[in-house]
Structures are given as C-alpha cells and as structure tokens.
C-alpha cells in the first residue's frame, strides 16, 4: 500500500506518474517537523537494515553513514564522498518494521542513516515543500515493485546496446575509430559500439561536427555500420556562446536559456568556453533542444550519451570575481589567512553552490531558482531527448544514457556510474551500486570498465571486464592523459577476447532477464538478502549478487587474487567459462567455498534446479542466434526465454516468450 503526504507547496517533479490522493493523517512510521525546514526522524531497531538511495558510495546496507542528494560532478569519489551524480531519494527500512520512503524533493536533501546517532534515521531539507510517499508491503522486494509501478516502466534500449563498447576521451579522427574496429575484428574480439567523446564536435559545440575530420559524417556512420559498429556520440549540457552558431542563436531568440534574476542569460564556463544552459524545465525549451538530436539521427546515429548535466560548472564570471577578491586580500596581507584556506576558497570556482543560486528556470510562467530544483536538470535533459525520440522515431528504440539523474529519468534512459577511477575499491563499489539503482528503476547501467581516471592495470581491467560481462551497459572508457586501456594495449590479448566473448554467449539470458525485469517492475540485480532473508550470512553478504532469477555472480575484486571465498545460500552449480571456449560445471553444496578463477575466465553460479541459455560465440549482437542455444545448469530444468527483434517496441506480446527444455 502506498500513502502520500504533502507538506507545503511541493514542486511537481513528475517522478510519480500514477495519481495518488494525499492523506490527512500523520504517517504511520516516524515523526515529522516542518519548522524552519523539513525533518523526518525514525527510530531504528538494532538489526534494521536500510536499502536504497540509488547512486551512492559504500555498501548495499546504507546504515552508518550520511548521504546527500545533490547532483554533483564529483570525479574523485572516495569512501567519504556524500554526493554523486544522481539524486534518488528512495529507501527501504527492513527489520522490526518494514516499509519504504520516497521523498519527492528536487533540491538538496540529507539522509543521516544512523550516522550521528546510531539508532536514528534523520532526513532533512531546507524547505518543507515536498511529497512523502510511505509504502508498506510483505517484504523489501514487494515494496520496491509497488514503488516501481507508480514511477513508470524502466527504459528499454535497443538490443545492440547489450554489446561491448569501446570508448576513450581522445578519439579525434576517423583513423582512430578505424583502428579500433580493425584491432577487434582481426583479433576476433567482439565489439558493437564505439563512443565519441567531445573531440568529434566543432569547438565542443553540441550537434556540430569537426569538419576537418567528419565532413562526410553520414558516409562514415554507414561505413561503421557495414562493419556492425554503432557510433555513440556525447551531448553536453552547455551551449557555446558564439554568434552564427545556430543552436545558440535560436536559444537566444526564443528565450530558451536559463536566466539570471535580472533577466539576462546566465553564463557558465564548461568545455566550449562560455556557455548558456538550456532551460530543460521549460517544456518548450525541452522540445526545442530534443529536436536537435534529429540532426545526428538523420545521419544514421542510433545512440547517445548525455554528459555534464548536473550541470557541471568550471566557473562563472561571478566566481572569478570572488576568486580575484580572495587573491587580492591574500596578496595584500599574506598572514591574514593560511595559504591552504585561500586555495580552498579558490577551489570553489567549480560547481559552487552560489552559482547554482544565481540562475532561474521558467516554470508555468514563474521564475524558479535553480538551487530549488537542482536535481531535476540532468533528468530533464535526458527527458528532452527521450520525448524527442518518441516524436522522431516512434516505432524504434534509441540508445540513451546520462551521467546525472533523478527518480523519473529511468523512463527515458539509463546511466553510467560516472567518472570512476582505476581502483580496485571502485570495482567493488560499482558492484554494490547495482541493486540500489535497480530499486529506483534504473536498469540500464554499468561502470567505466577499467576505470575512467588514473592508470589501470592488466589484471584490474580483466577482472572489471569479468564483472562488466553481466551489467547491461558494458563499456571500457578512460580519460585523456591516462594509460590507454583498449585490449590491444596489453600483452596476451587473447585473454581479453576470452572474457569479452562470454558476454555474447550470455546475451540471450541477460537480455531476457532485463526485459522481464523492465516489463514486470522487477530488479535485475538483487542483494542476497532479498532472496534469502532468513539466512543471516546471506543477509550480510554484499560482494555477491543475484542476477535475474537463476544466477548468482561473485566477481573477484582483489589485486593478484587467484580466486575468492564465496557463500552459497543453497546448493548451486558452479560454472566457469574457460579460455578455450568450454564451460566447466560443478555441483556445490550450500556453504562456504573457495573458488579459483584465472584472469581469462568468467565465473557464475546457477541456483538449484534451474538452468540458463547460452549461445555460440559471436563478434557482434546481430550474430547472436537465439535459435541455437544450449541450456546449462541442472538437468531437467526449464527456462522461459524472452526474445524480440531488439529494435521495435512490441514488448507485450506472447510471441516474445518461449520455454526452453
């Protein structure tokens, strides 16, 4: 059951798409005060567990730390980072009392989950203008399914989006892309997508092309497609201020950019230099910007990724003035402040809260300060694209994922997990993010495999790829200036072919389970606690994950490890995809086991009396044959396969299902 409680005058985020009448009584769980802001407090029992909050650091059980919903361009996220790129204000308390909470509030919100006081959940916001949804059910998964139903169906990408993608900030020429294709195809390493970072544009201007390299872009897209490669360009949130640039000129003419309080367009410096931000909360501006994707769609592009849409700000004219004043004061009297304090203030040039308070959106004819709706910006940028795709390509799916998000954006696209680093700890963190993101409807997700920033190592990349085999978005992406991490940059490249090829053998299962989860408001990745709630060891195990209804994954995330300890909550079949293409299967009894897994192998476990379909090797998604599948797992088990053409939207037909025996 879902109950809605309204406080003050909430901003309509459109996160919830089902009409729910508001209650007049007080919520059943917790206490609420609205003096001087909003505060929700709930007394946690000793063994209560708290799940959710989407994209965040730390564990699956969020108890014991403080998290802040405040979409932030935070490339170096550490264990103590409190805000990342998304804001997902949904959590489930599981224990003495089991219920869910969704705080529909688009500005900064703090979740103290037994952090300052070990037995209190305290949720606070500066203003008491929000809608609170309280959800009760039989168990956490039941509560999550109810929530997912009222926020709308999760985004479904085209099937090619389940292939392997290669990316790097720094691919600038057609020859860069051709080399990648040649290396993959000649060495039989599967590949479906190559991502285009900001260098494909002319001076980093959205919906433009570098004419030196891509004057014949439509022909180049066709050339890539002949080799079964989809190019996926990036689109950034800021529009360059430049006379003669049609997107800028149109935005100014129509008044579609965010403005300062005095009515002048707000200026922020990002990659193109000085830019304006489209007012994505204005439906007309959203439609205008969304229609710009047609420029690239008409050239054959069928996938995009939206970036810098927290929105990220390098600095503003006002911020430079603040920094100038700090430096002048320091030069005038070096002893006035300690040097590191001065540098800290200068460091606030980027993504400064003062700048977010200096521009406004137009909503229903009224000015709304950006700071009050900050977390909706990236969501509505991707919504602009999603709504445009419905107008431009109503019958076909287009790949779309974003960096920033809020609850509701899951209907229009997926996300990648942001600018991670080539750290073993980030591999584990990305694993733990998966169920929390699924809870808020974000099913199409994955990390930058190998790490975006810093220098990866061969074993880290191979182990991360072995996790990426299972995530819907499987992309190797790295930053300019870091070690190049395409598979052919390392010795013994056959090991990479072995790992990546497993993805394509598992696509029939992964795609089928993804579609079932999307169509049934279910989770693709579940913590063991959701499946084995009475098993104390399973409840506390956070480095293993249930995938779909048949599989448990146990990634290796430790440097130099030859294997790992795993806990089996029931009898299971241990499966290893070996480098020679064969599949090792071994029955194991419930309990703790040590498994050995070489760098060129991929492990998984199949639940007792279940099986999964496995295909033949393929080098691109179009070559995956759903009619030539082998069942592995327990003999005599059956599997219900979902399969469609991967392009169109006729999801809800019986013809898409068949039972494999």
């Amino acid at each position: 059951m879902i109950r809605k409680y309204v406080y003050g005058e909430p901003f309509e985020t459109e996160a919830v798409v089902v009409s729910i009448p508001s209650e007049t009584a007080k919520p059943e769980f917790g206490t609420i005060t609205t003096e001087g802001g909003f505060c929700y407090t709930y007394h946690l029992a000793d063994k209560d567990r708290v799940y959710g909050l989407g994209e965040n650091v730390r564990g699956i059980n969020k108890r014991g730390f403080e998290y802040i919903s405040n979409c932030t361009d935070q490339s170096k996220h550490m264990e103590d980072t409190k805000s990342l790129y998304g804001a997902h204000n949904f959590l489930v308390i599981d224990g003495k009392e089991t219920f869910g909470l969704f705080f529909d509030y688009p500005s900064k919100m703090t979740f103290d989950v037994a952090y300052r006081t070990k037995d209190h959940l305290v949720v606070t916001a500066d203003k008491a203008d929000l809608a609170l949804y309280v959800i009760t059910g039989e168990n956490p998964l039941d509560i999550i399914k109810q929530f997912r139903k009222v926020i709308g169906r999760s985004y479904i990408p085209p099937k090619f989006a389940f292939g392997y993608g290669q990316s790097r900030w720094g691919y600038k020429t057609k020859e860069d892309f051709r080399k990648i294709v040649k290396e993959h195809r000649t060495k039989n390493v599967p590949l479906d997508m190559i991502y285009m970072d900001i260098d494909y544009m002319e001076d980093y201007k959205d919906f433009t092309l570098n004419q030196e390299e891509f004057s014949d872009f439509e022909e180049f897209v066709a050339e890539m497609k002949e080799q079964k490669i989809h190019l996926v360009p990036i689109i950034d949130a800021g529009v360059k201020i430049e006379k003669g640039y049609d997107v800028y000129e149109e935005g100014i003419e129509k008044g579609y950019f965010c403005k300062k309080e005095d009515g002048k367009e707000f200026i922020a410096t990002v990659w193109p230099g000085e830019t304006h931000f489209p007012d994505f909360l204005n439906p007309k501006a959203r439609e205008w910007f969304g229609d710009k994707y047609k420029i690239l769609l008409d050239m054959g592009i069928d996938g995009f990724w939206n970036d810098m849409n927290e929105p990220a700000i390098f600095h503003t004219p006002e911020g430079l003035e603040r920094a100038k004043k700090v430096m002048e004061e320091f030069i005038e009297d070096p002893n006035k402040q300690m040097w590191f304090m001065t540098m800290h203030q200068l460091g606030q040039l980027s993504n400064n809260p003062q700048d977010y308070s200096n521009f406004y959106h137009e909503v229903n004819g009224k000015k709304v300060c950006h700071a009050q709706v900050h977390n909706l910006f990236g969501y509505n940028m991707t919504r602009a694209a999603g709504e445009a795709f419905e107008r431009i390509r109503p019958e076909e799916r287009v790949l779309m994922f974003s960096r920033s998000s809020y609850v509701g954006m899951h209907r229009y696209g997926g996300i990648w997990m942001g600018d991670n680093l080539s750290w073993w700890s980030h591999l584990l963190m990305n694993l733990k993010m998966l169920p929390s993101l699924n809870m808020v409807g974000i099913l199409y997700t994955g990390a930058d495999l190998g790490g975006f920033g810093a220098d990866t190592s061969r074993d880290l990349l191979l182990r991360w790829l072995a996790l990426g085999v299972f995530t819907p978005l499987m992309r190797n992406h790295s930053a300019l200036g870091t070690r190049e991490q395409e598979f052919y940059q390392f010795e013994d490249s056959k090991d990479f072919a072995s790992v990546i090829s497993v993805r394509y053998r598992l696509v029939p299962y992964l795609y089928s389970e993804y579609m079932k989860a999307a169509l049934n408001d279910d989770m693709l990745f579940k913590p063991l606690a959701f499946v084995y709630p009475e098993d104390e060891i399973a409840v506390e195990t956070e480095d293993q994950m249930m995938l779909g209804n048949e599989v448990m994954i146990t990634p290796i995330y430790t440097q130099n490890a030859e294997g790992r300890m795993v806990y089996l909550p029931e009898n299971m079949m241990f499966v290893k995809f070996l480098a020679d293409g064969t599949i090792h299967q071994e029955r194991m009894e419930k309990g703790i086991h040590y498994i050995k897994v070489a760098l060129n192998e991929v492990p998984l476990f199949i639940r007792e009396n279940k099986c999964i379909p496995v295909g033949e090797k393929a080098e691109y998604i179009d070559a995956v044959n759903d009619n030539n599948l082998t069942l592995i797992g327990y003999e005599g088990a059956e599997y219900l396969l979902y399969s469609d053409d991967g392009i169109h939207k006729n999801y809800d037909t019986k013809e898409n299902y068949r039972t494999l025996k």
Side-chain angles (χ1 to χ4, degrees):
M1 179 180 288
I2 302 179
R3 292 186 170 92
K4 177 182 179 182
Y5 303 88
V6 175
Y7 301 91
E9 298 181 3
F11 184 89
E12 179 51 69
T13 66
E14 299 183 68
V16 174
V17 295
V18 173
S19 178
I20 300 173
S22 58
E23 302 277 342
T24 54
K26 294 181 179 180
E28 181 180 354
F29 308 102
T31 58
I32 292 172
T33 59
T34 57
E35 293 180 10
F38 177 85
C39 180
Y40 172 91
T41 305
Y42 176 75
H43 186 274
L44 294 164
D46 287 345
K47 293 190 176 182
D48 283 358
R49 299 173 67 80
V50 182
Y51 300 104
L53 297 180
E55 186 182 40
N56 258 304
V57 300
R58 299 206 173 204
I60 294 172
N61 178 6
K62 292 297 188 287
R63 187 164 181 164
F65 194 57
E66 181 178 70
Y67 310 86
I68 300 175
S69 281
N70 187 42
C71 295
T72 305
D73 173 18
Q74 175 56 272
S75 60
K76 214 166 193 176
H77 35 284
M78 310 284 198
E79 191 174 336
D80 63 347
T81 299
K82 296 182 179 181
S83 299
L84 289 179
Y85 306 93
H88 310 119
N89 304 338
F90 174 61
L91 46 80
V92 174
I93 292 88
D94 181 29
K96 186 177 180 181
E97 297 172 311
T98 299
F99 60 98
L101 299 168
F102 172 48
F103 300 86
D104 195 1
Y105 183 74
S107 187
K108 179 179 176 181
M109 179 166 259
T110 300
F111 293 81
D112 179 335
V113 190
Y115 175 60
R116 288 178 173 79
T117 306
K118 67 182 178 65
D119 58 359
H120 279 78
L121 166 68
V122 182
V123 183
T124 55
D126 289 342
K127 293 192 174 183
D129 296 312
L130 58 87
L132 167 63
Y133 296 82
V134 180
I135 311 170
T136 53
E138 297 177 4
N139 51 52
L141 189 55
D142 176 41
I143 289 166
I144 291 162
K145 286 185 175 181
Q146 290 184 61
F147 177 63
R148 291 273 302 281
K149 190 170 288 292
V150 301
I151 61 174
R153 177 176 285 179
S154 294
Y155 163 75
I156 296 174
K159 195 170 184 177
F160 75 76
F162 288 82
Y164 177 62
Q166 179 59 53
S167 183
R168 182 174 172 84
W169 173 19
Y171 298 155
K172 296 182 178 182
T173 70
K174 284 186 285 190
E175 291 310 311
D176 290 336
F177 294 93
R178 287 172 176 145
K179 179 182 179 181
I180 295 162
V181 177
K182 181 181 178 182
E183 292 284 354
H184 282 78
R185 293 291 183 248
T186 57
K187 294 177 182 175
N188 304 117
V189 177
L191 183 70
D192 270 272
M193 291 162 286
I194 304 178
Y195 293 83
M196 307 183 80
D197 213 315
I198 54 177
D199 293 306
Y200 81 92
M201 305 180 204
E202 177 188 300
D203 299 329
Y204 308 137
K205 293 182 291 188
D206 283 338
F207 311 111
T208 68
L209 296 161
N210 176 345
Q211 290 303 305
E212 268 187 40
E213 282 298 324
F214 300 112
S215 58
D216 56 347
F217 189 63
E218 189 169 356
E219 289 80 3
F220 183 59
V221 173
E223 174 192 327
M224 291 290 103
K225 285 197 173 178
E226 284 179 8
Q227 300 185 67
K228 302 297 183 180
I229 298 295
H230 300 260
L231 296 176
V232 184
I234 196 170
I235 303 294
D236 279 352
V239 172
K240 182 176 176 63
I241 299 172
E242 179 180 284
K243 288 186 177 180
Y245 170 36
D246 57 351
V247 180
Y248 164 74
E249 298 279 11
E250 287 177 19
I252 290 291
E253 179 188 348
K254 297 176 184 295
Y256 286 160
F257 293 127
C258 293
K259 296 178 173 60
K260 296 189 292 186
E261 194 169 15
D262 63 7
K264 295 179 181 177
E265 279 76 14
F266 176 74
I267 297 172
T269 296
V270 203
W271 292 119
E274 289 191 338
T275 69
H276 293 322
F277 290 142
D279 185 359
F280 293 118
L281 272 64
N282 177 344
K284 291 182 179 178
R286 200 161 59 235
E287 180 179 2
W288 163 75
F289 191 86
D291 284 343
K292 295 298 177 185
Y293 287 82
K294 188 175 187 296
I295 295 168
L296 294 167
L297 287 168
D298 287 348
M299 294 183 180
I301 292 297
D302 46 19
F304 301 88
W305 48 308
N306 284 347
D307 195 13
M308 305 296 288
N309 53 357
E310 292 71 33
I313 295 175
F314 293 168
H315 58 77
T316 64
E318 295 82 1
L320 289 175
E321 283 299 316
R322 292 193 300 267
K324 181 181 176 183
K325 185 176 180 182
V326 169
M327 283 304 299
E328 287 174 347
E329 289 177 355
F330 177 77
I331 291 168
E332 184 179 332
D333 183 1
N335 297 315
K336 187 175 182 181
Q337 293 182 329
M338 293 181 69
W339 174 248
F340 74 87
M341 286 298 293
T342 303
M343 297 313 296
H344 172 74
Q345 287 182 277
L346 290 178
Q348 288 295 300
L349 273 174
S350 298
N351 308 317
N352 191 303
Q354 285 181 255
D355 291 326
Y356 291 123
S357 296
N358 284 344
F359 68 97
Y360 292 77
H361 299 271
E362 182 183 322
V363 182
N364 298 324
K366 296 181 180 179
K367 283 184 180 180
V368 177
C369 178
H370 174 81
Q372 301 305 314
V373 291
H374 173 70
N375 294 334
L376 299 181
F377 192 85
Y379 156 27
N380 279 280
M381 178 187 181
T382 298
R383 178 181 177 181
E387 291 173 338
F389 300 155
E390 286 294 326
R391 293 190 299 271
I392 300 165
R393 298 278 177 85
E395 304 300 323
E396 297 180 6
R397 309 177 218 173
V398 177
L399 171 60
M400 166 54 67
F401 58 93
S402 169
R403 192 169 73 177
S404 182
S405 61
Y406 181 83
V407 175
M409 199 209 78
H410 70 287
R411 300 190 295 269
Y412 304 100
I415 68 165
W416 87 97
M417 296 174 180
D419 296 343
N420 60 6
L421 291 160
S422 297
W423 295 347
W424 289 93
S425 61
H426 275 194
L427 191 167
L428 179 59
M429 180 184 69
N430 294 151
L431 172 70
K432 293 182 180 183
M433 281 185 186
L434 290 166
S436 299
L437 286 168
N438 281 193
M439 286 175 65
V440 294
I442 297 171
L443 299 183
Y444 190 76
T445 187
D448 286 342
L449 304 175
F452 175 71
D455 293 330
T456 197
S457 62
R458 184 176 185 275
D459 61 337
L460 174 58
L461 178 56
L462 280 165
R463 293 302 194 196
W464 219 325
L465 286 167
L467 168 59
V469 159
F470 302 107
T471 59
L473 171 61
M474 185 184 184
R475 179 176 77 152
N476 177 342
H477 184 45
S478 56
L480 187 70
T482 65
R483 180 182 187 178
E484 294 177 305
Q485 60 189 50
E486 299 85 3
F487 81 91
Y488 48 84
Q489 307 292 350
F490 301 89
E491 58 191 327
D492 298 327
S493 62
K494 287 183 180 179
D495 289 346
F496 293 87
S498 298
V499 172
I500 297 169
S501 68
V502 175
R503 166 57 163 233
Y504 287 73
R505 300 192 71 184
L506 287 173
V507 159
Y509 177 71
L510 298 172
Y511 183 75
S512 180
E513 292 302 301
Y514 183 98
M515 295 302 294
K516 292 175 192 175
L519 299 176
N520 296 297
D521 302 315
D522 203 349
M523 298 172 68
L524 180 62
F525 293 94
K526 300 182 184 76
L528 270 60
F530 285 13
V531 180
Y532 307 98
E534 304 304 320
D535 185 327
E536 290 187 8
I537 299 177
V539 168
E540 292 193 11
T541 299
E542 294 199 349
D543 61 352
Q544 302 172 199
M545 205 73 61
M546 306 308 296
L547 165 59
N549 296 301
E550 291 79 16
V551 167
M552 181 176 75
I553 61 172
T554 58
I556 294 170
Y557 52 89
T558 307
Q559 183 172 308
N560 298 319
E562 294 185 5
R564 60 163 288 174
M565 302 298 294
V566 299
Y567 173 66
L568 306 188
E570 60 175 299
N571 296 339
M572 290 186 176
M573 185 75 73
F574 175 43
V575 175
K576 269 198 305 187
F577 289 83
L578 305 179
D580 62 4
T582 61
I583 301 174
H584 169 82
Q585 298 189 70
E586 176 186 350
R587 290 174 184 253
M588 286 188 173
E589 294 184 354
K590 175 181 176 179
I592 297 173
H593 301 266
Y594 177 79
I595 59 169
K596 292 195 75 171
V597 182
L599 285 171
N600 56 12
E601 298 172 348
V602 178
L604 61 85
F605 288 85
I606 299 176
R607 298 179 66 186
E608 191 169 27
N609 298 322
K610 293 185 181 293
C611 64
I612 67 170
V614 173
E616 297 297 319
K617 286 187 176 181
E619 292 188 20
Y620 44 86
I621 288 294
D622 284 353
V624 174
N625 185 355
D626 284 353
N627 294 313
N628 185 22
L629 302 175
T630 301
L631 293 177
I632 64 170
Y634 286 85
E635 191 174 343
E638 298 180 351
Y639 180 75
L640 181 63
L641 179 76
Y642 178 99
S643 179
D644 59 23
D645 68 6
I647 299 170
H648 298 97
K649 301 177 181 178
N650 54 333
Y651 311 124
D652 302 297
T653 64
K654 292 181 180 179
E655 290 74 21
N656 292 336
Y657 296 89
R658 72 178 193 271
T659 300
L660 304 179
K661 300 180 181 180

